[in-house]
Amino acid sequence: MTDQSATIEISHPPEAVLRALNTVLRRALRTPLGAPIGDFMVVGFTGRKTGRRYAVPVSAHRLDGDFYALLNAGWKANFRGGAVADVTYRGKTAPMQGTLISDPAAVGEIAERVATAYGPKKAQRQMGLRFPGAGVPSVAEFTEAAGRLGLVAVKLAPKA
């Protein structure tokens, strides 16, 4: 019998498709067209080392009134220790405080809550993950995957 947790994997479209889609989303989400596209947000931030401005479209996961981005992309390091971000969601931009959450147990808990809220089919599409079976993996399975795949969460909360 195989271990189900070992089969949670990253599942993104090919890089060229992702680049093209990101270009379209980055533009559309900043306009009134972005209002009905509630599954995505654009996270704008300044690079810690380069000082350059970045605008990255990501899936918008909502929990307890805050946004979360679940990812394993290199830009996650910009939120280590906290950083200001401009989040554009449904065509509106708001300043937020971004905090990197890298502890696999905490990421596993967040991922399981997000996946449960979506249901297994939408969760896989929105989270960029692939997992087997008809149900949502457990917190322990998401925790294992977070450690193995380098998944983190960036919490984006309204600025006080």
Side-chain angles (χ1 to χ4, degrees), residues 9 21 126:
E9 295 295 339
L21 184 60
Q126 286 302 117

Side-chain angles (χ1 to χ4, degrees), residues 77-110:
N78 290 292
F79 290 94
R80 188 172 292 122
V84 174
D86 295 317
V87 176
T88 303
Y89 178 71
R90 295 190 179 245
K92 296 182 179 169
T93 302
M96 298 206 173
Q97 180 66 34
T99 306
L100 179 67
I101 301 168
S102 56
D103 173 54
V107 175
E109 183 179 317
I110 292 165

Side-chain angles (χ1 to χ4, degrees), residues 1-154:
M1 182 173 198
T2 58
D3 179 16
Q4 179 178 345
S5 64
T7 60
I8 296 175
E9 295 295 339
I10 302 293
S11 177
H12 292 296
E15 191 64 33
V17 172
L18 200 55
R19 254 184 274 133
L21 184 60
N22 281 350
T23 299
V24 171
L25 280 174
R26 191 177 297 112
R27 289 186 181 133
L29 291 170
R30 290 179 171 155
T31 71
L33 293 174
I37 310 175
D39 290 339
F40 296 94
M41 63 184 165
V42 175
V43 179
F45 58 92
T46 301
R48 288 168 58 126
K49 291 183 179 179
T50 65
R52 271 184 55 201
R53 284 293 296 166
Y54 295 93
V56 182
V58 294
S59 290
H61 309 301
R62 303 267 340 229
L63 289 176
D64 304 325
D66 296 322
F67 288 101
Y68 287 84
L70 295 167
L71 55 120
N72 69 340
W75 59 266
K76 64 190 175 194
N78 290 292
F79 290 94
R80 188 172 292 122
V84 174
D86 295 317
V87 176
T88 303
Y89 178 71
R90 295 190 179 245
K92 296 182 179 169
T93 302
M96 298 206 173
Q97 180 66 34
T99 306
L100 179 67
I101 301 168
S102 56
D103 173 54
V107 175
E109 183 179 317
I110 292 165
E112 190 274 338
R113 288 183 63 202
V114 166
T116 298
Y118 286 140
K121 193 171 192 170
K122 183 176 181 180
Q124 291 178 80
R125 186 174 63 248
Q126 286 302 117
M127 297 171 76
L129 297 174
R130 181 179 61 243
F131 41 85
V136 171
S138 68
V139 171
E141 292 165 330
F142 275 117
T143 298
E144 184 281 330
R148 178 173 44 84
L149 299 171
L151 291 175
V152 301
V154 175

